[in-house]
Amino acid sequence: MLVSLNWLQDYIDVSKYTPEELAEIITKTGIEVESVEPVAEEVQGVVVGYVEECEQHPNADKLSLCQVNVGEESLQIVCGAPNIAKGQKVPVAVPGAVLPGNFKIKKTKLRGEVSNGMICSLQELGVDEKDVPKEYADGIFVFPDDVEVGAEATALLNLDDKIIELGLTPNRSDALSMAGVAYEVAAAIDGEYTLAEENVEPSNEKAEDKVTVKVEDPAANPYYGAFVIQDIEVGPSPLWLRNRLTAAGIRPINNVVDITNYVLLEYGQPLHAFDYDRFGSNEIVTRRAKDGETIQTLDDQERTLTSDHLVITNGTEAHAIAGVMGGATSEVQDDTKTIILEAAYFNPAVVRQSSKDHGLRSESSTRFEKGVDPNRVERAGKRACELLQKYANGTVLAGVVSFDQLDRSEKKVAIHTSIINDRLGTEITNEEIADILRRLQFDYKQNGEEFIVSAPTRRQDIERFEDMLEEVARIYGYDNLPFTLPGGESQAGGLSLDQQLKRRMKAYFEGAGLDEAITYSLTKKDWATMLVSPEVEREAVAPVGLAMPMSEDYSHLRQSLLPEMLQSLSYNIARKQQNLAYYEVGTVFVSEEEEVTKQPSEMLRASGALTGTWVTHPWQQEKKDIDFFVVKGIVEGLSEQLNIPFTYEKTKVSSMHPGRTALVKAGGKDIGFIGQIHPKLQKEMDLKETYVFDLNVEELLKLYDKEEAFRKIPRYPSVSRDIALVVDESVAAGDIAATISEAGAPLVKEVQVFDLYQGEHLEEGKKSLAFNLLYLDPERTLKDQEVEEAHEAILTAVKEKHQAELRG
Amino acid sequence: MKERLEQLKQEALQKVDQATEVQSLKDVRVEYLGKKGPITEVLRGMGKLSKEERPVIGQLANEVREQIADAIESKQTKMEEEALEKQLEEESVDVTLPGRPVQVGGPHLLTSIVEEIEDLFIGMGFEIKEGPEVETDYYNFEALNLPKGHPARDMQDSFYITEELLLRTHTSPVQARTMGHKNGKEPVKMICPGKVYRRDTDDATHSHQFTQIEGLLVDKHVRMSDLKGVLNAFAKQMFGEDRDIRLRPSFFPFTEPSVEMDISCKVCGGKGCSVCKGTGWIEILGAGMVHPNVLEMAGYDPEEYSGFAFGMGPERIAMLKYGVDDIRHFYTNDIRFLKQYHKA
Ligand SMILES: [Zn+2]
């Protein structure tokens, strides 16, 4: 809502505040002021000039040579506007004048003729293009005849005004009118304001002899009032009225339309004028539209209606979509003589539906949607009649033809001083509360500390105690509330074990050299199901998609964090950042339904993607690129950190390198995978060799055993033995290690590969693997013989299972 | 014999003194102190001496022995030290050469901010609660006093999946769920951080995905002044002791009264500048007293219980605190951006 301070000053005296001070007061007591701006940039030295002579410029077809009286003198001015004419009163920037953009006007020569200044268009005076009336859009502005020659043009054009922009929250639709703003400001500064009575002098003829009103759906249209005004002379509105519309951001059109708009701004009540002679009947019938019914609206569009929409008809055809837009047929035109003026209350939900379905949001629909003041509907009609009488020479017929089932009662809300103080932490007295209610102009009955407040109908937002609590608090001033801390039993706040562990995991990844990334949960459809861990894929039926995505890039919920993370790698690589190591802990979304009806499962995953060089130390000739074992090492480190043993199995995952991908298992379950992404995908995404991991965090949290994680350091010494085995190339080291652990149990506590050899001295197709074994009994010192026996058992087992031979 | 011993001593000590290698010292030891050495020989010849002379010569011989042994030892220690010194000198490195780099990662700026806020409220006795990102219409809107058709639903145009499911538009549903578990009896004191989603086109100030932290305290006799006190403590710890707060009226469907909290502008100290758009204040968060409808729907009697709630955007806080100028920076994961804030 744009509020002209010059206009506001007409209603309530705010002259003792600067615009900025007033803005601060309004912001602190109720409504946020978003900006305070002058109507136009500063303009100096522009006066009203009278065009005494206007002739063709001798040397230029498109220029005129004018003699302009600016009060004390007469100046020769060259003007290029097509609409300049002798006898006009026009804004003249005399030499020394300054126009917006710090444009200084000087005496000059144009095509050989002296020009002592410039005749201005509204745009040149800083008026926004969209607010300029159409007839002046391509030329200079012309004043009405009654202005004084030599007068300051800026004041006449209201260019010295300041505009306060209010950021209205949905509950404060009362401030969608100048009257509402005046009530609010009056409460804020403890000033005086009441909406003035309308003053209409009707003729002897009665409106009811001209039209009838019928309402078919009273719930959708509880009040419909029709005024009839005859002998209208359509023409421009007075300058002051045009200025006010301009200040509010509404383009002036003609007096009839401008007056309905003016009253909309003043009262917050939208009105509509139909051309009586073009209405096609003298009965007004409001009803639900028929499905498929059409109407040609003012914007020359044909619109198809349904029974969700309310229409104003002449008994047969629709002439307006109620509260949203009028029809083209009965639009007020230059030759209009008689109008029907509609002042109605339309159900907010119905208007909302219409404006939404037709994509039409207007000053009018916005107000109906929020609910207009029931006590101001008819008054607004009267106010428009008053102005039409004055400024369009109209004859107002007596009475209003109406249908009326409108509830105009005021809501009663009880408040108690002690409850208010209990809720606010204050010590406000009964007298202070009474004073606040007076400032708000809310009627009340007081009985000790109880106040029964009648909320005025302009304040539709006030329904219950808490609403009044807010009214009292804001006028009392939030600055005046004390600072206290909550009482009650104190509880120790803190992180849950899972939350602590999650932080520990993140700290681990960062310590291991990974940077945390945060990516979008929404991704493109293909990516939603790409690089999904096998155990997640088994549960997911279809990716969860949005009903109405904004773009294909963000249409589905991810089942893996990896695609968007790879996208982040691409983004960096395109910016010459080659060495990247990211991790993210985030949610993936898995639905077991083909057509989603239930909330999908949300699984917390820890994923990472790495590419480029891992270690580089040039002067020591050390350089290590990221490979499978760098990523595996990071995952193994996590296993160590959480004290949860992981095992790894070669596997295939689509979009992953078929030979460099492993399933990760823990606690007997699949918990994720690691490996290199498929070279084809790398190419597609402009990536170099890239390795990833993806782990199920919730499963890890479940397996984590706080007690076990802090085992005692063993008291007895361990025994270390090495063993080198020759096996077929295809045998996995992990499988042999597993066999060793199993056969050596319970004494073998650790099995570590320390050498892998292939080549000379070994048979073709064979490899040698060397393991270090750690024997330990936590309860006593081991005897050599026991270790010997266990070692023998291990050798037998690996020979049997893997045809492993001791390397000689 | 006395003379012989003195002579041997002089000879030996001189050799020790002249020795330049450890080996020569060993030679001296063998030569003079060995079983076949001259001193042993002297001692062997003591049988020829008188009873009176024997102990005197014996003692003298032992003294000579000890003196030579001591000399060897101290010379050896000295030589070893010198050798070590020499070796260490040879081992010296150019300390100005660069060290082997350690791969160091770090948290995302948003995580740093969120954890800082979490820790701050934990210090005031709050718990951290989390909840689903795909929510039901009921928990996201209806339980928060936003029935279907409520005009305020316009304020947060949402990503719906079905008519009843959507990506949560705020973390408030976590509050509704937490309250719902208390059967209208126990107090609630929690904050809920998390990702939220709105139908916005991504630009410098809008993101279809962003982060939110909301807080809730429900108990008997919770006052609006308590909200002011808690927010003041938060603002001072988060932004600095010298910052002031102010509350001004606002509107949220789930609170009544509703307020927005501003902090005094750090740049101009409240005088007004371009950062604070001339007002001297910067908007930080929304808050209010929990709406009685919300309490009722969660099973609390609003006559008996009251509460306050607040909500803030870590992106906005990060932007204010660290001068980040584009919200998209938080989601493109530009490594240069991320590294810049590892120490945040
Ligand atoms: Zn400032």
Side-chain angles (χ1 to χ4, degrees):
Chain A
M1 175 78 185
L2 300 173
V3 177
S4 148
L5 288 185
N6 284 349
W7 189 352
L8 186 66
Q9 179 65 31
D10 265 11
Y11 297 152
I12 176 165
D13 184 11
V14 291
S15 58
K16 62 177 163 175
Y17 305 104
T18 66
E20 288 71 25
E21 283 166 357
L22 187 63
E24 168 91 5
I25 293 170
I26 296 173
T27 295
K28 279 175 81 168
T29 49
I31 298 168
E32 187 179 5
V33 172
E34 290 183 340
S35 63
V36 182
E37 305 276 359
V39 145
E41 273 186 72
E42 204 181 331
V43 169
Q44 285 171 16
V46 181
V47 296
V48 176
Y50 177 69
V51 183
E52 293 169 330
E53 298 295 337
C54 181
E55 284 162 11
Q56 172 77 48
H57 189 291
N59 308 321
D61 282 353
K62 291 189 173 164
L63 297 180
S64 306
L65 194 59
C66 306
Q67 203 60 41
V68 185
N69 181 348
V70 292
E72 301 195 333
E73 54 182 332
S74 189
L75 303 170
Q76 172 171 304
I77 298 175
V78 175
C79 179
N83 63 335
I84 182 85
K86 182 177 170 179
Q88 286 173 336
K89 288 185 177 172
V90 292
V92 179
V94 296
V98 183
L99 298 186
N102 201 23
F103 176 43
K104 293 189 177 112
I105 301 300
K106 283 179 243 164
K107 178 177 170 178
T108 176
K109 259 190 180 181
L110 285 165
R111 295 286 188 100
E113 294 292 339
V114 170
S115 185
N116 284 305
M118 179 173 137
I119 303 174
C120 304
S121 68
L122 288 177
Q123 291 94 320
E124 282 159 344
L125 295 173
V127 177
D128 198 338
E129 186 81 45
K130 70 171 175 32
D131 296 332
V132 174
K134 281 213 174 80
E135 66 254 50
Y136 305 124
D138 301 314
I140 51 153
F141 177 73
V142 182
F143 284 106
D145 284 341
D146 57 358
V147 302
E148 201 183 318
V149 171
E152 278 282 344
T154 42
L156 288 169
L157 288 167
N158 196 44
L159 297 179
D160 57 349
D161 197 2
K162 287 221 174 173
I163 306 296
I164 282 185
E165 182 172 9
L166 300 179
L168 292 180
T169 49
N171 60 327
R172 293 307 303 274
S173 56
D174 60 297
L176 279 167
S177 65
M178 289 302 295
V181 172
Y183 277 110
E184 174 68 18
V185 171
I189 66 171
D190 199 359
E192 296 277 340
Y193 173 71
T194 333
L195 179 60
E197 280 302 316
E198 300 75 28
N199 183 15
V200 189
E201 285 164 25
S203 74
N204 294 328
E205 279 184 79
K206 287 179 181 160
E208 62 187 38
D209 295 335
K210 288 283 212 174
V211 290
T212 59
V213 166
K214 193 175 149 203
V215 167
E216 287 188 3
D217 185 348
N221 184 191
Y223 177 84
Y224 194 95
F227 296 84
V228 179
I229 303 100
Q230 294 179 336
D231 311 322
I232 296 263
E233 285 171 23
V234 177
S237 313
L239 191 55
W240 66 265
L241 197 153
R242 278 185 276 169
N243 289 339
R244 288 187 174 181
L245 293 185
T246 307
I250 293 180
R251 184 204 290 262
I253 295 172
N254 61 45
N255 49 5
V256 176
V257 176
D258 292 354
I259 285 167
T260 58
N261 281 333
Y262 182 79
V263 177
L264 171 140
L265 291 172
E266 190 179 35
Y267 281 59
Q269 169 67 41
L271 302 169
H272 186 68
F274 297 98
D275 185 324
Y276 182 83
D277 299 313
R278 293 187 172 98
F279 195 65
S281 87
N282 48 21
E283 54 173 330
I284 299 167
V285 180
T286 82
R287 59 165 167 80
R288 295 278 180 168
K290 295 173 193 120
D291 284 327
E293 187 173 358
T294 58
I295 180 174
Q296 183 92 10
T297 44
L298 280 175
D299 54 358
D300 288 329
Q301 295 224 27
E302 179 160 291
R303 297 180 185 272
T304 306
L305 307 164
T306 73
S307 60
D308 285 342
H309 313 132
L310 190 74
V311 285
I312 318 302
T313 74
N314 61 4
T316 43
E317 55 194 12
H319 275 267
I321 305 174
V324 176
M325 196 179 256
T329 328
S330 49
E331 184 180 3
V332 172
Q333 295 179 20
D334 289 349
D335 62 352
T336 296
K337 291 287 167 231
T338 305
I339 61 165
I340 302 166
L341 182 77
E342 163 197 294
Y345 186 101
F346 299 118
N347 182 306
V350 174
V351 174
R352 189 167 183 237
Q353 188 70 46
S354 297
S355 93
K356 197 175 144 200
D357 291 352
H358 298 291
L360 285 170
R361 278 188 71 92
S362 58
E363 295 281 351
S364 160
S365 69
T366 317
R367 286 169 175 81
F368 279 123
E369 282 175 29
K370 306 254 155 86
V372 295
D373 179 355
N375 278 310
R376 243 186 244 165
V377 184
E378 198 177 319
R379 288 187 66 181
K382 284 187 184 159
R383 173 68 169 151
C385 287
E386 176 186 349
L387 296 171
L388 287 164
Q389 213 163 32
K390 268 194 198 166
Y391 301 109
N393 207 27
T395 305
V396 178
L397 302 200
V400 51
V401 188
S402 65
F403 170 87
D404 189 354
Q405 289 189 8
L406 187 58
D407 178 7
R408 293 181 178 79
S409 61
E410 297 191 326
K411 285 207 185 70
K412 300 265 191 285
V413 179
I415 57 175
H416 292 80
T417 308
S418 60
I419 301 179
I420 284 182
N421 283 324
D422 187 43
R423 286 295 159 81
L424 297 179
T426 47
E427 287 168 6
I428 304 176
T429 63
N430 291 337
E431 289 69 32
E432 285 172 309
I433 290 193
D435 193 53
I436 288 167
L437 295 174
R438 178 192 60 76
R439 283 168 66 173
L440 288 163
Q441 300 189 49
F442 289 5
D443 288 338
Y444 63 89
K445 285 206 181 85
Q446 187 184 353
N447 181 11
E449 67 155 29
E450 186 190 56
F451 295 78
I452 308 291
V453 179
S454 296
T457 51
R458 64 171 185 275
R459 294 295 306 275
Q460 303 269 309
D461 58 314
I462 292 172
E463 291 181 328
R464 58 191 295 170
F465 167 73
E466 284 72 15
D467 303 319
M468 278 311 302
L469 180 68
E470 176 160 48
E471 292 301 304
V472 172
R474 71 188 183 92
I475 301 297
Y476 178 72
Y478 287 117
D479 285 353
N480 296 322
L481 295 193
F483 293 98
T484 59
L485 286 175
E489 274 175 60
S490 64
Q491 80 176 29
L495 295 170
S496 67
L497 181 62
D498 280 3
Q499 288 162 348
Q500 288 174 40
L501 208 55
K502 227 157 54 188
R503 281 200 187 182
R504 278 248 304 272
M505 280 178 71
K506 294 171 90 165
Y508 163 75
F509 285 129
E510 284 152 22
L514 307 186
D515 292 306
E516 187 187 18
I518 297 180
T519 60
Y520 292 133
S521 305
L522 285 168
T523 187
K524 45 187 113 171
K525 191 178 181 189
D526 295 351
W527 285 8
T529 52
M530 193 168 82
L531 295 168
V532 179
S533 190
E535 88 278 11
V536 175
E537 202 171 28
R538 282 196 290 273
E539 285 186 38
V541 170
V544 179
L546 298 178
M548 286 189 300
M550 289 209 303
S551 79
E552 283 183 7
D553 284 348
Y554 309 122
S555 62
H556 285 74
L557 285 166
R558 61 186 177 188
Q559 292 177 358
S560 165
L561 309 185
L562 293 172
E564 287 288 336
M565 200 183 291
L566 295 177
Q567 172 66 30
S568 293
L569 297 189
S570 291
Y571 177 94
N572 279 287
I573 286 169
R575 283 156 186 78
K576 307 269 177 271
Q577 302 295 315
Q578 310 290 342
N579 308 320
L580 302 156
Y582 281 144
Y583 86 93
E584 178 174 10
V585 176
T587 310
V588 302
F589 304 81
V590 174
S591 172
E592 297 171 10
E593 303 171 297
E594 192 72 54
E595 285 281 317
V596 177
T597 63
K598 301 187 302 251
Q599 280 169 284
S601 320
E602 295 186 15
M603 303 173 175
L604 199 61
R605 311 288 300 183
S607 308
L610 299 85
T611 187
T613 305
W614 185 239
V615 175
T616 170
H617 193 209
W619 72 265
Q620 288 190 324
Q621 283 89 44
E622 191 184 7
K623 181 169 179 290
K624 165 110 190 95
D625 284 338
I626 286 159
D627 64 10
F628 183 89
F629 298 100
V630 167
V631 176
K632 189 175 177 190
I634 290 168
V635 172
E636 283 171 334
L638 181 69
S639 153
E640 182 83 7
Q641 177 84 4
L642 299 176
N643 194 45
I644 301 168
F646 292 176
T647 57
Y648 304 84
E649 261 173 32
K650 196 164 174 181
T651 191
K652 288 197 168 47
V653 171
S654 64
S655 297
M656 292 292 290
H657 190 304
R660 294 181 179 175
T661 302
L663 197 63
V664 183
K665 292 178 147 195
K669 283 186 178 166
D670 297 351
I671 59 149
F673 72 103
I674 58 172
Q676 184 189 347
I677 64 167
H678 202 288
K680 275 196 218 158
L681 180 61
Q682 280 168 191
K683 211 173 150 196
E684 245 169 67
M685 298 192 71
D686 291 322
L687 296 169
K688 304 265 168 56
E689 220 171 279
T690 301
Y691 292 85
V692 298
F693 65 86
D694 177 32
L695 302 169
N696 180 338
V697 174
E698 271 148 76
E699 202 55 50
L700 293 177
L701 299 183
K702 262 187 246 167
L703 289 169
Y704 179 76
D705 181 339
K706 199 177 179 183
E707 307 297 315
E708 185 61 17
F710 302 105
R711 282 168 308 180
K712 280 181 204 151
I713 297 165
R715 275 189 293 169
Y716 297 94
S718 56
V719 177
S720 167
R721 284 286 167 91
D722 291 345
I723 176 174
L725 301 168
V726 176
V727 290
D728 279 350
E729 238 170 25
S730 60
V731 178
D735 291 347
I736 302 175
T739 306
I740 294 174
S741 294
E742 201 181 306
L747 297 183
V748 172
K749 292 288 186 275
E750 270 177 38
V751 184
Q752 289 252 28
V753 178
F754 71 88
D755 188 46
L756 165 68
Y757 177 79
Q758 266 174 298
E760 235 183 301
H761 310 302
L762 274 183
E763 215 180 294
E764 182 86 358
K766 296 271 180 191
K767 65 181 172 188
S768 157
L769 279 164
F771 298 85
N772 175 263
L773 280 54
L774 215 61
Y775 292 86
L776 178 79
D777 186 330
E779 304 302 327
R780 62 202 171 81
T781 305
L782 282 174
K783 291 186 187 117
D784 278 352
Q785 202 197 332
E786 290 173 295
V787 174
E788 244 5 279
E789 280 167 14
H791 213 69
E792 280 307 315
I794 287 167
L795 288 177
T796 317
V798 292
K799 185 161 187 177
E800 228 167 69
K801 256 193 150 161
H802 309 289
Q803 288 76 52
E805 296 293 342
L806 259 182
R807 191 173 178 200
Chain B
M1 290 185 93
K2 254 187 194 170
E3 291 75 33
R4 173 82 179 133
L5 281 170
E6 271 304 323
Q7 187 197 342
L8 283 171
K9 181 176 133 191
Q10 290 311 327
E11 264 178 45
L13 288 181
Q14 195 179 349
K15 280 189 180 167
V16 167
D17 198 38
Q18 283 166 355
T20 55
E21 283 166 33
V22 179
Q23 190 52 49
S24 352
L25 285 179
K26 281 182 183 162
D27 293 345
V28 176
R29 184 184 291 275
V30 172
E31 190 182 338
Y32 290 91
L33 305 179
K35 285 182 180 164
K36 290 171 186 166
I39 296 175
T40 315
E41 218 165 281
V42 171
L43 289 170
R44 263 192 213 123
M46 280 211 308
K48 295 171 193 155
L49 296 177
S50 66
K51 261 184 191 171
E52 292 75 28
E53 268 180 322
R54 244 183 255 164
V56 178
I57 293 300
Q59 196 186 344
L60 183 65
N62 279 333
E63 274 172 22
V64 167
R65 250 186 130 98
E66 269 168 42
Q67 279 170 358
I68 294 171
D70 283 352
I72 292 174
E73 192 146 316
S74 73
K75 177 78 182 192
Q76 189 169 343
T77 307
K78 198 178 158 216
M79 283 170 78
E80 276 168 3
E81 269 169 18
E82 278 168 6
L84 184 63
E85 234 167 75
K86 200 175 161 221
Q87 185 196 339
L88 294 184
E89 189 55 43
E90 281 163 5
E91 281 172 7
S92 73
V93 296
D94 178 354
V95 297
T96 63
L97 279 168
R100 182 183 187 278
V102 172
Q103 190 79 16
V104 185
H108 193 285
L109 174 57
L110 277 179
T111 302
S112 304
I113 297 271
V114 168
E115 289 186 357
E116 188 179 352
I117 296 171
E118 282 179 356
D119 293 344
L120 227 142
F121 280 101
I122 285 171
M124 291 192 263
F126 285 73
E127 285 180 291
I128 315 286
K129 294 282 181 190
E130 288 152 303
E133 291 172 37
V134 175
E135 260 300 353
T136 61
D137 188 85
Y138 176 79
Y139 277 113
N140 194 72
F141 288 128
E142 286 177 47
L144 298 162
N145 201 29
L146 276 152
K148 289 208 157 98
H150 191 289
R153 282 195 182 198
D154 278 355
M155 287 163 75
Q156 34 199 21
D157 217 356
S158 336
F159 286 122
Y160 274 90
I161 292 164
T162 68
E163 259 176 45
E164 292 305 320
L165 293 177
L166 73 160
L167 300 190
R168 65 179 176 193
T169 57
H170 42 197
T171 57
S172 322
V174 184
Q175 304 180 341
R177 286 175 181 275
T178 308
M179 279 191 283
H181 292 144
K182 305 275 183 181
N183 299 319
K185 298 250 179 294
E186 299 154 62
V188 175
K189 198 173 180 186
M190 57 173 281
I191 64 165
C192 41
K195 294 180 179 128
V196 300
Y197 307 85
R198 295 200 190 160
R199 272 186 89 81
D200 275 322
T201 305
D202 297 340
D203 62 24
T205 52
H206 296 86
S207 179
H208 74 273
Q209 172 181 325
F210 57 101
T211 320
Q212 212 180 37
I213 297 183
E214 295 192 59
L216 174 73
L217 191 154
V218 174
D219 204 344
K220 293 174 183 170
H221 307 296
V222 177
R223 302 160 295 182
M224 199 158 181
S225 56
D226 298 336
L227 171 65
K228 203 174 161 184
V230 166
L231 292 181
N232 188 51
F234 160 73
K236 287 203 154 43
Q237 291 183 67
M238 191 78 195
F239 298 100
E241 278 299 321
D242 54 339
R243 310 297 282 278
D244 291 324
I245 68 158
R246 74 165 183 188
L247 304 181
R248 56 184 167 73
S250 188
F251 171 78
F252 306 106
F254 25 87
T255 49
E256 185 77 32
S258 300
V259 289
E260 275 173 295
M261 184 187 89
D262 299 335
I263 57 165
S264 54
C265 178
K266 191 182 182 180
V267 178
C268 62
K271 286 192 209 85
C273 67
S274 64
V275 173
C276 56
K277 293 188 200 133
T279 62
W281 296 95
I282 290 173
E283 185 184 323
I284 291 294
L285 55 79
M289 300 301 286
V290 182
H291 196 287
N293 289 353
V294 174
L295 288 171
E296 252 164 37
M297 272 183 281
Y300 287 93
D301 176 1
E303 304 270 304
E304 196 184 349
Y305 281 87
S306 56
F308 64 69
F310 55 86
M312 64 188 107
E315 279 91 346
R316 180 172 169 74
I317 290 174
M319 288 168 100
L320 287 172
K321 227 178 150 175
Y322 298 102
V324 179
D325 59 358
D326 190 326
I327 196 169
R328 287 169 294 196
H329 284 316
F330 295 109
Y331 295 96
T332 44
N333 298 305
D334 188 314
I335 190 66
R336 294 161 298 181
F337 174 83
L338 296 177
K339 293 271 188 210
Q340 189 183 345
Y341 293 107
H342 276 175
K343 287 158 212 99

